[in-house]
Amino acid sequence: MKLSKQHSNYQSEITQFISSLKEKNPNLEESQRAGRALLWDKSPIDLDQQARIKASNVSQQAYVYQNKLK
């Protein structure tokens, strides 16, 4: 199905809003990437440290308030 020429140039209101926002603030995408790097993109995981942390965990009994059975 081929769209008519009128429909091929259609942009939704949201697309128009985002385009105008990018025109007003050309550094928008760069600042979004910087924010993402600050909050989410962390350094690679150290597998040795992760294994030490997992090995150092103390297992907990099923019901913590019950006295330990001998």
Side-chain angles (χ1 to χ4, degrees), residues 18-58:
I18 292 173
S19 297
S20 68
L21 191 63
K22 288 181 180 180
E23 286 176 13
K24 291 177 187 174
N25 186 1
N27 298 337
L28 180 66
E29 288 185 35
E30 183 180 327
S31 64
Q32 285 178 326
R33 285 191 189 98
R36 177 192 164 100
L38 180 66
L39 296 174
W40 297 104
D41 297 338
K42 301 295 180 188
S43 60
I45 297 172
D46 183 4
L47 296 178
D48 293 332
Q49 182 181 11
Q50 190 177 22
R52 285 193 307 269
I53 291 171
K54 189 174 183 178
S56 68
N57 285 342
V58 177

